[in-house]
C-alpha cells in the first residue's frame, strides 16, 4: 500500500501525522470510498539489469571500433553472457552468447587480426564463457523452480497452521494480518484465530516464546486447542484454562528447556451475538484497543495481572473475564508486541495508541493496511519481531 492509499483510507490523515492536539476526542470523518490507491512503481533496477548484457555488447563494439587494433574489449564480451545467465531465459542467454561471438568475429575480420594467435585465443575464451553461461542459466532456473516449490509448500503450511479468517463471521467484519520478522518467512511464533460458537465469536491473539520450528509447533498446539475449546467450553475463562493444560502437556512432551520456560502471552476475546459487549481474558499480553466510529480510541487493559499461558505452576488463581461495551461501528484491535516494540532509527518504540488516535476506517482491512504500512515506515522496513494483527468491527 502506498502513501496516498493509506492517506485516503485513514480519513485524510496517515497515522502519526502531526495534527493540532487530536486527543482521544478528536472526531475524524469516515474515510471516503476510494480505489486501491496503489501507485505502480517502475522497477528501474530490474530493468537496468535486464538491459545490461545489451549495453555491455554495445559498449564493447564501440570500444573496438574507435580504438587501435591492439586494444580489446574482451572482458566486456565475456561479461555479457554471464550477466544474461541469471536474468534471461535459456534462449535469451544463448542468443546473447551468439551475438557476442558474432560481434567479436566481425570486428576481428574488419580489423584484419583474425589470424593472430591472441585474437584466436580471445575468441575461444569468449565462446567458452558463452557456452558456460547457458549451463549456468539451466542451473539457476532449476534452483529457482525448487525455491518456488518450497515457497508454495511454506504458504500451504501457513494456511494450514494459521488460516486467514473469513471477512464476516457471526455478523462481525474480520481482518487479519501477519508479518514475520525473518526474511521470506511466512509464519513464526505469533498467532491468531477466530471461532464462531453458540456463545458468540471467540478470538485469540498470542505470542509464543522462542523462534523457529519449536515456536511454530507451539502455535499449532495453541490454535488447535483454542478451536476445540471455543466450541465446547461454556465460558472464556474455561477456554483459557483449556489452553493452559494443552501447553503444559506440550511442554512435557517436548522436554528440555521448553518444558520449564515455554510460555505464550495471549489475549482472548468473546463477542456475544447481539449483546453489544466484549469479554476479555488477558494472559500477559498487550491490551487490545477499541476504536470508535468517531475516531476516539480507548485501550482495554487488564484490571488484574495474570501470568502468560504455560506458567500455571508459578501461580494458581481463577481467570476473570472483564466486560466492556462494544457499540456498533466500533473496531476491536488485537496485536502482538511486534507492533508496539517496533523501533525507529532513534530507538523509539511504535505507539499504536498515539498513531491511531483520531483516525477512522470503514473496514478492518483498511485499518490493518494503514497500520502495517505505518509501522514499516517507522521501523525503516526492518521488523525485529513477528507481528500479528486482528481487527473485528461490529457493523
Amino acid at each position: 500500500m502506498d502513501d496516498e492509499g493509506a492517506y485516503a483510507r485513514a480519513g485524510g490523515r496517515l497515522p502519526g501525522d502531526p495534527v493540532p492536539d487530536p486527543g482521544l476526542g478528536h472526531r475524524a470523518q469516515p474515510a471516503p470510498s476510494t480505489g486501491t490507491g496503489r501507485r505502480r512503481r517502475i522497477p528501474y533496477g530490474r530493468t537496468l539489469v535486464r538491459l545490461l548484457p545489451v549495453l555491455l555488447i554495445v559498449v564493447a563494439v564501440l570500444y573496438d571500433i574507435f580504438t587501435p587494433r591492439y586494444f580489446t574489449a574482451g572482458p566486456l564480451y565475456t561479461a555479457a553472457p554471464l550477466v544474461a545467465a541469471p536474468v534471461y531465459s535459456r534462449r535469451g542467454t544463448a542468443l546473447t552468447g551468439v551475438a557476442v561471438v558474432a560481434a567479436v568475429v566481425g570486428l576481428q575480420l574488419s580489423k584484419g587480426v583474425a589470424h593472430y594467435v591472441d585474437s584466436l585465443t580471445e575468441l575461444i575464451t569468449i565462446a567458452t564463457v558463452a557456452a558456460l553461461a547457458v549451463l549456468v542459466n539451466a542451473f539457476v532456473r532449476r534452483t529457482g523452480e525448487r525455491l518456488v516449490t518450497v515457497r508454495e509448500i511454506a504458504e500451504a503450511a501457513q494456511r494450514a497452521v494459521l488460516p486467514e479468517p473469513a471477512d464476516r463471521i457471526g455478523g462481525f467484519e474480520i481482518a487479519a494480518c501477519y508479518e514475520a520478522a525473518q526474511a521470506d518467512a511466512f509464519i513464526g511464533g505469533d498467532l491468531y484465530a477466530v471461532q464462531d460458537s453458540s456463545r458468540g465469536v471467540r478470538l485469540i491473539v498470542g505470542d509464543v516464546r522462542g523462534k523457529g520450528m519449536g515456536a511454530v509447533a507451539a502455535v499449532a498446539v495453541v490454535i488447535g486447542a483454542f478451536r476445540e475449546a471455543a466450541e465446547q467450553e461454556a465460558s472464556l475463562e474455561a477456554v483459557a484454562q483449556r489452553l493452559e493444560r494443552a501447553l503444559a502437556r506440550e511442554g512435557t512432551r517436548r522436554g528440555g528447556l521448553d518444558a520449564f520456560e515455554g510460555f505464550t502471552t495471549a489475549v482472548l476475546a468473546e463477542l456475544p451475538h447481539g449483546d453489544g459487549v466484549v469479554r476479555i481474558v488477558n494472559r500477559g499480553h498487550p491490551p487490545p484497543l477499541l476504536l470508535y466510529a468517531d475516531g476516539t480510541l480507548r485501550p482495554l487493559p487488564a484490571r488484574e495481572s495474570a501470568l502468560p499461558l504455560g506458567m500455571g505452576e508459578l501461580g494458581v488463581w481463577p481467570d476473570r473475564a472483564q466486560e466492556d461495551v462494544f457499540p456498533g461501528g466500533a473496531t476491536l484491535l488485537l496485536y502482538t508486541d511486534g507492533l508496539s516494540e517496533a523501533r525507529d532509527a532513534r530507538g523509539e518504540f511504535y505507539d499504536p495508541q498515539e498513531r491511531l488516535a483520531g483516525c477512522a476506517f470503514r473496514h478492518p482491512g483498511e485499518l490493518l493496511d494503514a497500520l502495517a504500512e505505518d509501522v514499516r515506515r517507522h521501523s525503516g522496513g526492518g521488523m525485529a519481531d513477528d507481528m500479528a494483527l486482528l481487527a473485528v468491527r461490529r457493523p
Side-chain angles (χ1 to χ4, degrees):
M1 185 184 72
D2 59 24
D3 294 348
E4 286 80 4
Y7 186 88
R9 286 190 279 271
R13 181 177 74 83
L14 279 173
D17 282 353
V19 295
D21 189 25
L24 295 181
H26 174 68
R27 300 185 64 85
Q29 297 298 323
S33 178
T34 64
T36 60
R38 295 182 182 273
R39 178 175 53 195
R40 188 174 181 179
R41 298 179 179 178
I42 301 176
Y44 294 107
R46 185 174 180 179
T47 302
L48 178 60
V49 171
R50 294 190 64 84
L51 290 176
L52 189 55
V54 177
L55 294 176
L56 288 171
I57 295 174
V58 172
V59 171
V61 170
L62 294 176
Y63 181 87
D64 275 342
I65 291 175
F66 294 104
T67 58
R69 65 181 184 179
Y70 48 82
F71 283 82
T72 177
L76 298 179
Y77 290 119
T78 55
L82 291 178
V83 174
V87 296
Y88 286 1
S89 65
R90 182 180 302 179
R91 180 180 179 182
T93 304
L95 290 176
T96 301
V98 171
V100 166
V101 173
V104 172
V105 171
L107 287 169
Q108 288 182 355
L109 291 175
S110 65
K111 287 187 175 184
V113 298
H115 59 284
Y116 290 166
V117 175
D118 291 345
S119 299
L120 183 60
T121 302
E122 179 185 42
L123 179 60
I124 294 174
T125 302
I126 293 173
T128 302
V129 171
L132 291 175
V134 175
L135 296 178
V136 170
N137 174 269
F139 175 78
V140 169
R141 295 188 71 82
R142 281 199 299 269
T143 303
E145 291 171 356
R146 291 172 184 168
L147 290 176
V148 169
T149 302
V150 171
R151 187 180 184 90
E152 291 175 350
I153 294 173
E155 290 177 349
Q158 181 193 32
R159 288 191 292 269
V161 176
L162 201 67
E164 186 173 348
D167 292 338
R168 292 183 69 90
I169 298 178
F172 296 93
E173 297 174 350
I174 310 287
C177 173
Y178 189 98
E179 293 196 11
Q182 184 177 357
D184 298 324
F186 292 92
I187 186 172
D190 288 6
L191 62 98
Y192 59 76
V194 182
Q195 185 72 34
D196 197 6
S197 71
S198 59
R199 297 168 181 84
V201 177
R202 288 172 169 174
L203 314 95
I204 183 174
V205 169
D207 186 358
V208 174
R209 184 197 73 85
K211 303 289 183 182
M213 293 306 299
V216 175
V219 166
V221 169
V222 173
I223 292 180
F226 169 77
R227 292 196 181 280
E228 183 179 3
E231 287 278 0
Q232 298 177 358
E233 298 295 346
S235 67
L236 196 62
E237 295 89 339
V239 175
Q241 289 301 314
R242 188 85 162 261
L243 297 180
E244 183 76 47
R245 294 192 295 272
L247 282 174
R249 290 194 302 270
E250 176 68 7
T252 302
R253 183 186 68 82
R254 293 167 67 183
L257 184 63
D258 288 328
F260 301 96
E261 295 188 4
F263 62 87
T264 300
T265 66
V267 58
L268 295 89
E270 181 180 82
L271 308 174
H273 298 296
D275 285 357
V277 299
V278 55
R279 300 188 184 101
I280 295 174
V281 170
N282 194 323
R283 297 295 295 270
H285 200 77
L289 302 178
L290 190 60
L291 289 78
Y292 295 93
D294 63 355
T296 303
L297 183 147
R298 183 166 69 92
L300 303 177
R303 300 188 183 102
E304 296 182 13
S305 299
L307 291 174
L309 297 170
M311 301 182 69
E313 294 182 356
L314 301 181
V316 179
W317 59 85
D319 286 297
R320 294 186 177 88
Q322 64 185 56
E323 187 171 294
D324 289 278
V325 177
F326 187 25
T331 301
L332 181 69
L333 174 64
L334 297 85
Y335 59 93
T336 59
D337 58 9
L339 175 69
S340 56
E341 294 182 0
R343 297 173 182 259
D344 61 10
R346 297 172 294 179
E348 296 181 0
F349 289 110
Y350 184 89
D351 187 351
Q353 298 184 39
E354 176 184 349
R355 311 284 281 201
L356 290 173
C359 295
F361 302 89
R362 287 186 179 274
H363 188 272
E366 297 175 357
L367 164 62
L368 298 192
D369 285 346
L371 191 59
E373 180 66 19
D374 191 47
V375 74
R376 287 190 210 103
R377 286 197 303 270
H378 178 83
S379 61
M383 302 291 292
D385 195 5
D386 298 339
M387 178 179 71
L389 307 173
L390 182 63
V392 184
R393 180 177 180 271
R394 181 185 292 276

